[in-house]
Amino acid sequence: EESTSTLWQRDLSSETCYKAAWLAKNMCESCDRAVFGYWLLTDLMEERATLETVFHGGYGLLTYNGIPKAGYQAMRLISRMGNTLIASGEGWLLTKSSDAYQLLAYNYCHYSRMYRYRYKRLDKPQEAYSVFETGNVLHMLFQLDGLPRGTYHIERRKITQEHGSSFDQWIKIGTPRYPTPDEQMYLIAMSQPIFQTETAEVSDVLQFEGVLRPLEVEFIYFYRMKAKKERSIHDGMGQANG
């Protein structure tokens, strides 16, 4: 079934980090239960041909000229989740693929009561976040037991208003109605989530700590690195078979 986060085609909330948190929440809650599809990929396919501005509350995960929104970045992270469900809870989901683990966490906040029952089109992009409940900062502590001993490679990506949301960057550069090629390139570059890597020595337990402000999403990807002996045996087999 195809779905989206709002009934209104010109709802500026669609452009915000809310879309990322909404997608993460629904994908986590429907995991292993139902097939979830999103409508639609780009604003270019909208019924109305005339667009007032590049960010106007369209349904798409991309603007009409290909700038990825926060929702698009969330779908990129979700697409990397594994096929095996390990565990889940309120605000998080842990999966496993053949050689790696994936942890998705989000801090979802719903529309305010007033906005839910009395929708009013917002005229100023700066007001886009005013329609949500205030929410609280979420402090996370995940502990994974029983992992194979070894050195683990860890990648963390986070979608925030500062990183991963082209809409928020568009506001910072002055909300140009139709961005120039240079402005468009800048917004595409600034729409990438925060990216951090590290390694950790694990004997049995691996812990992750984190902080998510309202409407933020974090994706953690980690796997056990092969020891030198394992790599040399594997490489030798590859050469012999070649």
Side-chain angles (χ1 to χ4, degrees):
E1 181 179 346
E2 296 170 341
S3 60
T4 188
S5 61
T6 178
L7 294 172
W8 314 104
Q9 288 193 3
R10 295 298 180 265
D11 186 350
L12 283 176
S13 69
S14 290
E15 314 286 17
T16 68
C17 288
Y18 171 77
K19 182 75 76 175
W22 180 86
L23 282 165
K25 178 179 186 294
N26 281 273
M27 294 297 283
C28 286
E29 293 182 351
S30 63
C31 179
D32 209 30
R33 298 179 184 178
V35 176
F36 180 87
Y38 179 79
W39 176 264
L40 46 80
L41 178 61
T42 171
D43 291 343
L44 189 61
M45 297 176 64
E46 290 191 289
E47 291 110 357
R48 295 177 61 179
T50 303
L51 303 178
E52 299 90 342
T53 183
V54 62
F55 290 101
H56 56 277
Y59 288 146
L61 298 176
L62 300 166
T63 64
Y64 72 87
N65 54 355
I67 300 172
K69 304 180 186 181
Y72 177 83
Q73 301 298 353
M75 289 294 278
R76 284 183 60 200
L77 301 183
I78 291 167
S79 71
R80 298 190 62 186
M81 297 296 287
N83 296 322
T84 302
L85 175 62
I86 302 299
S88 62
E90 185 175 355
W92 62 275
L93 180 75
L94 176 66
T95 63
K96 186 179 185 300
S97 55
S98 58
D99 59 352
Y101 296 85
Q102 305 84 22
L103 176 63
L104 181 67
Y106 58 89
N107 188 355
Y108 177 81
C109 297
H110 201 48
Y111 290 108
S112 66
R113 184 179 296 272
M114 177 67 75
Y115 196 71
R116 272 180 278 169
Y117 297 109
R118 285 188 173 274
Y119 167 78
K120 178 183 178 182
R121 181 177 172 182
L122 301 175
D123 296 320
K124 298 179 180 179
Q126 294 81 0
E127 299 175 344
Y129 286 94
S130 67
V131 301
F132 304 111
E133 295 175 347
T134 304
N136 298 306
V137 175
L138 178 63
H139 295 267
M140 305 182 301
L141 175 60
F142 294 100
Q143 178 170 304
L144 286 76
D145 302 319
L147 292 175
R149 181 190 300 270
T151 302
Y152 280 73
H153 175 79
I154 302 167
E155 299 178 1
R156 302 182 71 146
R157 294 171 171 85
K158 184 188 289 188
I159 298 172
T160 70
Q161 289 182 239
E162 294 78 20
H163 301 274
S165 174
S166 55
F167 172 75
D168 288 280
Q169 296 303 317
W170 176 67
I171 291 176
K172 286 184 179 180
I173 66 172
T175 64
R177 190 172 182 182
Y178 304 111
T180 65
D182 283 346
E183 291 168 338
Q184 183 178 340
M185 290 178 60
Y186 176 81
L187 292 174
I188 291 173
M190 294 301 292
S191 72
Q192 299 304 310
I194 298 172
F195 180 51
Q196 297 175 318
T197 65
E198 61 180 306
T199 58
E201 296 297 328
V202 175
S203 58
D204 181 64
V205 176
L206 179 60
Q207 287 189 340
F208 293 112
E209 295 186 47
V211 177
L212 288 178
R213 294 178 299 176
L215 303 180
E216 292 186 345
V217 176
E218 183 164 17
F219 174 79
I220 304 175
Y221 177 89
F222 58 102
Y223 60 88
R224 187 174 72 89
M225 301 171 66
K226 292 181 180 179
K228 291 183 178 180
K229 185 176 181 180
E230 291 179 279
R231 288 200 299 269
S232 62
I233 293 175
H234 177 76
D235 293 342
M237 292 176 61
Q239 293 171 4
N241 292 334

